[in-house]
Every structure is written in structure tokens, then in C-alpha cells.
Amino acid sequence: MSVLSFRLVYSIFSEIHEGTRILGYKGSLVLSGIWLFVFVKILRSPELLYGYPKLKNITPSTDKKPIEIASLWSTGNVDITNVKDVKLNESINVKIVAYITQIEGYVISHHPFRNYEYSIKDLAAGLNIPLSHLAYVFKYHCNMSFSEYRNHHRITDAIHFIESNFLESQTMESLATSAGFNSYNTFFVSFKKYTGSSPKNFIESPSNKRPVELQLDIPLGGDQQ
């Protein structure tokens, strides 16, 4: 557009002051009008420039990807009274589903909670998401606090270890620390809280082995270290 504007101005200037006609005022005006139409058309229908298959590849997808464990999250509207959170909501509300999908994908593929000291700050750094945004997502869209969410995934991890015959060569204590707990006692308490069964009973009773839609009848809130 800058080139067209310059060309039109130069043509008018040449015609008025020098008597020359590179294209002529009317010709430049017509040509500029044509190119303006083409430019606007491309803006409104970019597939004309790139072709639809290529455009589909280079355009960020806005489709809502399925969330891995939907029962842990809520993506509906929330009641916000905190002024700072209201401002955050205005800027990140459209990103909530993307953030949740990113969180679940990262946690499932990288297993960060196997590190006992892993915090919400570490997760924000790993995801390259502002800490304030991540805290907002857990505060308003997760059905449990961050610490409960972390333990939920640790128990999920422990169950996967069990199903992979981890205990054939390792102890219960090793299972606890491998899943991210600092002791067997904290592992035992969390395991029973989320599965409704002790680790030993879970292992001995096939009926307890269920897909990890673990029990969510736990109070909201809590530590968000």
C-alpha cells in the first residue's frame, strides 16, 4: 500500500509540475483502486494468497482440543469479585481451554510432579505461562487446589507404575518416592484419599484397578505452593 500511495503521489506531482506522465493521474488512480480492491480481498479471504491447505497449516488453530481429564476442570463462566482477577479474566478468558490443554499435556508427557519440590512457580516456568495466569486458572477453573491436583497426578503416576509391574523389583517406599512423595506415609494417605483404598488392598483387589478417574469428593482450596 505504501508503494502504491507513493506512486500515485509521484504521478500527480510529475503531471502537475513537470508535464510528464508516467502513468497519468487517472491511470494511477484507477490502478491504485484496483490494487486496493485486491488488497482488501486478500485480507478478507487470505486463502486466495496462500491456498487453503497451506493457510490451514500456518494459521493457529482455535479449535477446542479435548482436555485429558475433563472432570478435573471447569471451563464455564465464573463469579469473580477480586479486582485484579477481573482484569486478568478480561485478558485470558479466551485462553482458558488452551491453557488447560497445555497444562495437562505437559504434566502427562513430562511427569514434573515426580519431583517432590515441584511448585506452581516451576510449572509456570516449564509451560512458559505467566505465574499470575496459571494461578488464575487453578483458582477459578480447576476443581481442586494446585497441591491437590499435584497429588492427584502423583497417584495417577503411582498406579501406572503398579500396572507396569514396578513392585516386582521395587519396594512400596520406592514407589512412593518415584511418584513424587517425600515419604511412604504421605503417599499412603493420598493414595487412600484419591482411590478409596490402601495401596496394598488396591494391588490385591483387581476390582480396585480402574482408569484414573480418581475420587474427587475432596474440599476445594488448600495450599498452592
mmCIF file with all atom_site columns, all heavy atoms in Angstrom, residues 26-38:
data_model
loop_
_atom_site.group_PDB
_atom_site.id
_atom_site.type_symbol
_atom_site.label_atom_id
_atom_site.label_alt_id
_atom_site.label_comp_id
_atom_site.label_asym_id
_atom_site.label_entity_id
_atom_site.label_seq_id
_atom_site.pdbx_PDB_ins_code
_atom_site.Cartn_x
_atom_site.Cartn_y
_atom_site.Cartn_z
_atom_site.occupancy
_atom_site.B_iso_or_equiv
_atom_site.pdbx_formal_charge
_atom_site.auth_seq_id
_atom_site.auth_comp_id
_atom_site.auth_asym_id
_atom_site.auth_atom_id
_atom_site.pdbx_PDB_model_num
ATOM 1   N N   . LYS A 1 26 ? -5.212  9.849  -13.936 1.00 0.00 ? 26 LYS A N   1
ATOM 2   C CA  . LYS A 1 26 ? -6.377  8.969  -13.961 1.00 0.00 ? 26 LYS A CA  1
ATOM 3   C C   . LYS A 1 26 ? -5.964  7.500  -13.970 1.00 0.00 ? 26 LYS A C   1
ATOM 4   O O   . LYS A 1 26 ? -6.569  6.656  -13.323 1.00 0.00 ? 26 LYS A O   1
ATOM 5   C CB  . LYS A 1 26 ? -7.242  9.291  -15.176 1.00 0.00 ? 26 LYS A CB  1
ATOM 6   C CG  . LYS A 1 26 ? -7.905  10.663 -15.105 1.00 0.00 ? 26 LYS A CG  1
ATOM 7   C CD  . LYS A 1 26 ? -8.777  10.917 -16.316 1.00 0.00 ? 26 LYS A CD  1
ATOM 8   C CE  . LYS A 1 26 ? -9.466  12.300 -16.239 1.00 0.00 ? 26 LYS A CE  1
ATOM 9   N NZ  . LYS A 1 26 ? -10.297 12.560 -17.427 1.00 0.00 ? 26 LYS A NZ  1
ATOM 10  N N   . GLY A 1 27 ? -4.882  7.225  -14.724 1.00 0.00 ? 27 GLY A N   1
ATOM 11  C CA  . GLY A 1 27 ? -4.418  5.840  -14.787 1.00 0.00 ? 27 GLY A CA  1
ATOM 12  C C   . GLY A 1 27 ? -3.930  5.358  -13.440 1.00 0.00 ? 27 GLY A C   1
ATOM 13  O O   . GLY A 1 27 ? -4.219  4.228  -13.013 1.00 0.00 ? 27 GLY A O   1
ATOM 14  N N   . SER A 1 28 ? -3.174  6.211  -12.737 1.00 0.00 ? 28 SER A N   1
ATOM 15  C CA  . SER A 1 28 ? -2.682  5.842  -11.416 1.00 0.00 ? 28 SER A CA  1
ATOM 16  C C   . SER A 1 28 ? -3.830  5.652  -10.440 1.00 0.00 ? 28 SER A C   1
ATOM 17  O O   . SER A 1 28 ? -3.818  4.760  -9.591  1.00 0.00 ? 28 SER A O   1
ATOM 18  C CB  . SER A 1 28 ? -1.742  6.929  -10.884 1.00 0.00 ? 28 SER A CB  1
ATOM 19  O OG  . SER A 1 28 ? -0.572  6.996  -11.657 1.00 0.00 ? 28 SER A OG  1
ATOM 20  N N   . LEU A 1 29 ? -4.827  6.519  -10.566 1.00 0.00 ? 29 LEU A N   1
ATOM 21  C CA  . LEU A 1 29 ? -5.979  6.414  -9.681  1.00 0.00 ? 29 LEU A CA  1
ATOM 22  C C   . LEU A 1 29 ? -6.723  5.108  -9.898  1.00 0.00 ? 29 LEU A C   1
ATOM 23  O O   . LEU A 1 29 ? -7.102  4.422  -8.954  1.00 0.00 ? 29 LEU A O   1
ATOM 24  C CB  . LEU A 1 29 ? -6.911  7.612  -9.922  1.00 0.00 ? 29 LEU A CB  1
ATOM 25  C CG  . LEU A 1 29 ? -8.009  7.838  -8.872  1.00 0.00 ? 29 LEU A CG  1
ATOM 26  C CD1 . LEU A 1 29 ? -7.393  8.077  -7.513  1.00 0.00 ? 29 LEU A CD1 1
ATOM 27  C CD2 . LEU A 1 29 ? -8.893  8.998  -9.276  1.00 0.00 ? 29 LEU A CD2 1
ATOM 28  N N   . VAL A 1 30 ? -6.906  4.763  -11.170 1.00 0.00 ? 30 VAL A N   1
ATOM 29  C CA  . VAL A 1 30 ? -7.599  3.509  -11.490 1.00 0.00 ? 30 VAL A CA  1
ATOM 30  C C   . VAL A 1 30 ? -6.799  2.311  -11.005 1.00 0.00 ? 30 VAL A C   1
ATOM 31  O O   . VAL A 1 30 ? -7.328  1.376  -10.400 1.00 0.00 ? 30 VAL A O   1
ATOM 32  C CB  . VAL A 1 30 ? -7.860  3.402  -13.005 1.00 0.00 ? 30 VAL A CB  1
ATOM 33  C CG1 . VAL A 1 30 ? -8.376  2.006  -13.358 1.00 0.00 ? 30 VAL A CG1 1
ATOM 34  C CG2 . VAL A 1 30 ? -8.860  4.464  -13.454 1.00 0.00 ? 30 VAL A CG2 1
ATOM 35  N N   . LEU A 1 31 ? -5.457  2.342  -11.297 1.00 0.00 ? 31 LEU A N   1
ATOM 36  C CA  . LEU A 1 31 ? -4.610  1.232  -10.888 1.00 0.00 ? 31 LEU A CA  1
ATOM 37  C C   . LEU A 1 31 ? -4.574  1.083  -9.374  1.00 0.00 ? 31 LEU A C   1
ATOM 38  O O   . LEU A 1 31 ? -4.635  -0.025 -8.834  1.00 0.00 ? 31 LEU A O   1
ATOM 39  C CB  . LEU A 1 31 ? -3.185  1.440  -11.413 1.00 0.00 ? 31 LEU A CB  1
ATOM 40  C CG  . LEU A 1 31 ? -2.194  0.296  -11.143 1.00 0.00 ? 31 LEU A CG  1
ATOM 41  C CD1 . LEU A 1 31 ? -2.679  -1.003 -11.768 1.00 0.00 ? 31 LEU A CD1 1
ATOM 42  C CD2 . LEU A 1 31 ? -0.817  0.659  -11.692 1.00 0.00 ? 31 LEU A CD2 1
ATOM 43  N N   . SER A 1 32 ? -4.495  2.220  -8.683  1.00 0.00 ? 32 SER A N   1
ATOM 44  C CA  . SER A 1 32 ? -4.490  2.176  -7.223  1.00 0.00 ? 32 SER A CA  1
ATOM 45  C C   . SER A 1 32 ? -5.797  1.613  -6.688  1.00 0.00 ? 32 SER A C   1
ATOM 46  O O   . SER A 1 32 ? -5.814  0.852  -5.723  1.00 0.00 ? 32 SER A O   1
ATOM 47  C CB  . SER A 1 32 ? -4.272  3.585  -6.650  1.00 0.00 ? 32 SER A CB  1
ATOM 48  O OG  . SER A 1 32 ? -3.003  4.084  -7.011  1.00 0.00 ? 32 SER A OG  1
ATOM 49  N N   . GLY A 1 33 ? -6.891  1.981  -7.342  1.00 0.00 ? 33 GLY A N   1
ATOM 50  C CA  . GLY A 1 33 ? -8.193  1.455  -6.935  1.00 0.00 ? 33 GLY A CA  1
ATOM 51  C C   . GLY A 1 33 ? -8.265  -0.055 -7.101  1.00 0.00 ? 33 GLY A C   1
ATOM 52  O O   . GLY A 1 33 ? -8.796  -0.773 -6.244  1.00 0.00 ? 33 GLY A O   1
ATOM 53  N N   . ILE A 1 34 ? -7.692  -0.548 -8.218  1.00 0.00 ? 34 ILE A N   1
ATOM 54  C CA  . ILE A 1 34 ? -7.691  -1.997 -8.474  1.00 0.00 ? 34 ILE A CA  1
ATOM 55  C C   . ILE A 1 34 ? -6.874  -2.725 -7.413  1.00 0.00 ? 34 ILE A C   1
ATOM 56  O O   . ILE A 1 34 ? -7.308  -3.729 -6.843  1.00 0.00 ? 34 ILE A O   1
ATOM 57  C CB  . ILE A 1 34 ? -7.140  -2.294 -9.881  1.00 0.00 ? 34 ILE A CB  1
ATOM 58  C CG1 . ILE A 1 34 ? -8.109  -1.755 -10.946 1.00 0.00 ? 34 ILE A CG1 1
ATOM 59  C CG2 . ILE A 1 34 ? -6.914  -3.794 -10.063 1.00 0.00 ? 34 ILE A CG2 1
ATOM 60  C CD1 . ILE A 1 34 ? -7.575  -1.850 -12.361 1.00 0.00 ? 34 ILE A CD1 1
ATOM 61  N N   . TRP A 1 35 ? -5.667  -2.191 -7.138  1.00 0.00 ? 35 TRP A N   1
ATOM 62  C CA  . TRP A 1 35 ? -4.798  -2.842 -6.152  1.00 0.00 ? 35 TRP A CA  1
ATOM 63  C C   . TRP A 1 35 ? -5.380  -2.751 -4.738  1.00 0.00 ? 35 TRP A C   1
ATOM 64  O O   . TRP A 1 35 ? -5.199  -3.668 -3.929  1.00 0.00 ? 35 TRP A O   1
ATOM 65  C CB  . TRP A 1 35 ? -3.407  -2.235 -6.183  1.00 0.00 ? 35 TRP A CB  1
ATOM 66  C CG  . TRP A 1 35 ? -2.566  -2.817 -7.280  1.00 0.00 ? 35 TRP A CG  1
ATOM 67  C CD1 . TRP A 1 35 ? -2.168  -2.222 -8.429  1.00 0.00 ? 35 TRP A CD1 1
ATOM 68  C CD2 . TRP A 1 35 ? -2.029  -4.142 -7.318  1.00 0.00 ? 35 TRP A CD2 1
ATOM 69  N NE1 . TRP A 1 35 ? -1.420  -3.083 -9.204  1.00 0.00 ? 35 TRP A NE1 1
ATOM 70  C CE2 . TRP A 1 35 ? -1.311  -4.276 -8.522  1.00 0.00 ? 35 TRP A CE2 1
ATOM 71  C CE3 . TRP A 1 35 ? -2.075  -5.226 -6.440  1.00 0.00 ? 35 TRP A CE3 1
ATOM 72  C CZ2 . TRP A 1 35 ? -0.655  -5.445 -8.894  1.00 0.00 ? 35 TRP A CZ2 1
ATOM 73  C CZ3 . TRP A 1 35 ? -1.420  -6.403 -6.793  1.00 0.00 ? 35 TRP A CZ3 1
ATOM 74  C CH2 . TRP A 1 35 ? -0.723  -6.509 -8.010  1.00 0.00 ? 35 TRP A CH2 1
ATOM 75  N N   . LEU A 1 36 ? -6.073  -1.664 -4.455  1.00 0.00 ? 36 LEU A N   1
ATOM 76  C CA  . LEU A 1 36 ? -6.729  -1.544 -3.161  1.00 0.00 ? 36 LEU A CA  1
ATOM 77  C C   . LEU A 1 36 ? -7.802  -2.608 -3.006  1.00 0.00 ? 36 LEU A C   1
ATOM 78  O O   . LEU A 1 36 ? -7.937  -3.235 -1.954  1.00 0.00 ? 36 LEU A O   1
ATOM 79  C CB  . LEU A 1 36 ? -7.348  -0.148 -3.017  1.00 0.00 ? 36 LEU A CB  1
ATOM 80  C CG  . LEU A 1 36 ? -8.086  0.123  -1.691  1.00 0.00 ? 36 LEU A CG  1
ATOM 81  C CD1 . LEU A 1 36 ? -7.116  -0.004 -0.513  1.00 0.00 ? 36 LEU A CD1 1
ATOM 82  C CD2 . LEU A 1 36 ? -8.717  1.507  -1.710  1.00 0.00 ? 36 LEU A CD2 1
ATOM 83  N N   . PHE A 1 37 ? -8.552  -2.853 -4.065  1.00 0.00 ? 37 PHE A N   1
ATOM 84  C CA  . PHE A 1 37 ? -9.577  -3.885 -4.045  1.00 0.00 ? 37 PHE A CA  1
ATOM 85  C C   . PHE A 1 37 ? -8.951  -5.261 -3.818  1.00 0.00 ? 37 PHE A C   1
ATOM 86  O O   . PHE A 1 37 ? -9.440  -6.075 -3.014  1.00 0.00 ? 37 PHE A O   1
ATOM 87  C CB  . PHE A 1 37 ? -10.361 -3.871 -5.370  1.00 0.00 ? 37 PHE A CB  1
ATOM 88  C CG  . PHE A 1 37 ? -11.317 -5.027 -5.518  1.00 0.00 ? 37 PHE A CG  1
ATOM 89  C CD1 . PHE A 1 37 ? -12.573 -4.998 -4.910  1.00 0.00 ? 37 PHE A CD1 1
ATOM 90  C CD2 . PHE A 1 37 ? -10.962 -6.154 -6.256  1.00 0.00 ? 37 PHE A CD2 1
ATOM 91  C CE1 . PHE A 1 37 ? -13.445 -6.058 -5.030  1.00 0.00 ? 37 PHE A CE1 1
ATOM 92  C CE2 . PHE A 1 37 ? -11.837 -7.215 -6.387  1.00 0.00 ? 37 PHE A CE2 1
ATOM 93  C CZ  . PHE A 1 37 ? -13.071 -7.167 -5.777  1.00 0.00 ? 37 PHE A CZ  1
ATOM 94  N N   . VAL A 1 38 ? -7.841  -5.524 -4.535  1.00 0.00 ? 38 VAL A N   1
ATOM 95  C CA  . VAL A 1 38 ? -7.158  -6.813 -4.389  1.00 0.00 ? 38 VAL A CA  1
ATOM 96  C C   . VAL A 1 38 ? -6.640  -6.981 -2.964  1.00 0.00 ? 38 VAL A C   1
ATOM 97  O O   . VAL A 1 38 ? -6.756  -8.058 -2.358  1.00 0.00 ? 38 VAL A O   1
ATOM 98  C CB  . VAL A 1 38 ? -5.993  -6.927 -5.406  1.00 0.00 ? 38 VAL A CB  1
ATOM 99  C CG1 . VAL A 1 38 ? -5.161  -8.177 -5.117  1.00 0.00 ? 38 VAL A CG1 1
ATOM 100 C CG2 . VAL A 1 38 ? -6.534  -6.964 -6.826  1.00 0.00 ? 38 VAL A CG2 1
#
